[in-house]
Amino acid sequence: MTAADVQDSSMDMMMDNLPQTVDPTTLTSRIIQSDSIQREDRTNDSDNDADDMQMDGVDQPTFQKLSAHAARGGKAEYRRIRCPAHRYTPLRENWEQLLTPLVEYLKLQVRFNTRTRSVEMKTSRHTLDTSSLQKGADFIGAFMLGFEPQDAVALLRLDDLYIESFQVTDVKILRGDHLSRAIGRVAGQDGKTRFAIENATRTRIVIADSRIHLLGSYGNIRLARNAICDLILGAPPGKVYNNMRNVAKRMNERY
């Protein structure tokens, strides 16, 4: 080791032994800066709290629900349902039962046009729901298809009920006596088969000549349609009864 190296090492040791000093002006400026930042943060927080309290104090605007008459700009909507010839007498006999829910529940104006033989409905300033007119048209349309008023009124009370119609010949092309026997298998003796399907699937079925109408929820209509199609295709009624018994058991366990 040379004399120069010894001198450098001694200088390093002396520098290590010297006390570490900090410039007081630098420390003071940092403290002042931190205090100003904290004051600014507190000011911002107080402003945000004041804004939040102001927003909470503001009353939100509330708008009343528009009636069906007001939603159309004061114009009335119309519906017309034609009455088939074979439903004219039942319509006359059940007119009071049909009119009561339409006027008192849906707040519609209803009349029967004897010249065109159709039921006409329109909204008024008392009609509250915009869908009342369509519900009323579905209700009258279900009655025109052959459903009883007690069954068709469920369309007014529930939103998940539908009507499905199909021809017997849509399932299988039949003519003459073969078509008559297929319709007889669906109806059963004294309507026993039809009642069994209705009770098991919780639907309502109308057999109008070769046309079949179903009223119920989507899943229940599917079950009833499958049973009717099996009968049209020639399945034994006993097998269909067994399937309906299983379906009824599953539905009772579900509900």
Side-chain angles (χ1 to χ4, degrees), residues 30-96:
R30 290 180 179 177
I31 294 174
I32 294 174
Q33 184 180 8
S34 63
D35 290 341
S36 63
I37 291 174
Q38 291 177 4
R39 284 196 300 272
E40 185 178 357
D41 292 341
R42 286 196 295 269
T43 303
N44 293 334
D45 292 341
S46 62
D47 292 340
N48 293 334
D49 294 339
D51 293 339
D52 294 339
M53 292 178 63
Q54 186 177 1
M55 289 297 294
D56 295 337
V58 173
D59 294 333
Q60 297 294 332
T62 56
F63 302 100
Q64 294 182 355
K65 183 179 179 180
L66 288 177
S67 63
H69 193 68
R72 291 280 298 177
K75 297 180 180 179
E77 287 186 282
Y78 296 87
R79 288 289 190 280
R80 178 181 295 172
I81 299 95
R82 294 294 301 271
C83 179
H86 67 283
R87 297 298 293 171
Y88 186 69
T89 301
L91 178 66
R92 184 174 53 196
E93 294 175 352
N94 297 280
W95 179 248
E96 290 294 334

Side-chain angles (χ1 to χ4, degrees), residues 16 71-72 80 96-97 110-111 113 123 131-132 135 138 172 180 183 217 226 254:
D16 294 338
R72 291 280 298 177
R80 178 181 295 172
E96 290 294 334
Q97 300 182 37
V110 187
R111 73 174 183 179
N113 193 330
T123 58
S131 62
S132 296
K135 288 183 178 180
D138 294 339
K172 186 178 182 181
S180 302
I183 297 173
S217 63
N226 291 339
R254 183 186 307 173

Side-chain angles (χ1 to χ4, degrees), residues 183-198:
I183 297 173
R185 284 196 299 271
V186 174
Q189 185 178 4
D190 298 329
K192 183 173 66 173
T193 304
R194 180 172 67 90
F195 292 144
I197 297 175
E198 286 181 346

Side-chain angles (χ1 to χ4, degrees), residues 39-242:
R39 284 196 300 272
E40 185 178 357
D41 292 341
R42 286 196 295 269
T43 303
N44 293 334
D45 292 341
S46 62
D47 292 340
N48 293 334
D49 294 339
D51 293 339
D52 294 339
M53 292 178 63
Q54 186 177 1
M55 289 297 294
D56 295 337
V58 173
D59 294 333
Q60 297 294 332
T62 56
F63 302 100
Q64 294 182 355
K65 183 179 179 180
L66 288 177
S67 63
H69 193 68
R72 291 280 298 177
K75 297 180 180 179
E77 287 186 282
Y78 296 87
R79 288 289 190 280
R80 178 181 295 172
I81 299 95
R82 294 294 301 271
C83 179
H86 67 283
R87 297 298 293 171
Y88 186 69
T89 301
L91 178 66
R92 184 174 53 196
E93 294 175 352
N94 297 280
W95 179 248
E96 290 294 334
Q97 300 182 37
L98 298 174
L99 199 64
T100 301
L102 293 177
V103 175
E104 296 184 358
Y105 180 67
L106 299 180
K107 308 297 183 183
L108 298 174
Q109 294 181 356
V110 187
R111 73 174 183 179
F112 182 77
N113 193 330
T114 56
R115 184 173 57 85
T116 60
R117 286 205 170 188
S118 59
V119 178
E120 297 177 350
M121 296 178 292
K122 77 170 186 175
T123 58
S124 65
R125 58 187 180 88
H126 302 287
T127 306
L128 301 178
D129 194 356
T130 55
S131 62
S132 296
L133 190 62
Q134 185 60 46
K135 288 183 178 180
D138 294 339
F139 169 59
I140 297 296
F143 178 79
M144 297 303 180
L145 292 177
F147 293 100
E148 293 294 329
Q150 297 84 356
D151 299 331
V153 77
L155 292 169
L156 305 180
R157 304 179 182 275
L158 302 175
D159 293 332
D160 58 344
L161 293 183
Y162 307 95
I163 295 177
E164 182 175 337
S165 303
F166 64 93
Q167 294 275 359
V168 174
T169 53
D170 293 340
V171 182
K172 186 178 182 181
I173 298 177
L174 299 171
R175 296 182 181 87
D177 293 340
H178 299 286
L179 179 60
S180 302
R181 282 192 291 269
I183 297 173
R185 284 196 299 271
V186 174
Q189 185 178 4
D190 298 329
K192 183 173 66 173
T193 304
R194 180 172 67 90
F195 292 144
I197 297 175
E198 286 181 346
N199 295 331
T201 59
R202 299 179 183 179
T203 57
R204 288 296 177 265
I205 301 172
V206 171
I207 302 174
D209 195 15
S210 63
R211 193 164 187 83
I212 298 175
H213 309 287
L214 304 174
L215 169 65
S217 63
Y218 179 79
N220 295 345
I221 286 178
R222 180 169 55 86
L223 295 174
R225 185 180 64 243
N226 291 339
I228 293 174
C229 291
D230 290 340
L231 290 170
I232 294 173
L233 293 175
K239 183 177 180 180
V240 176
Y241 287 157
N242 190 23

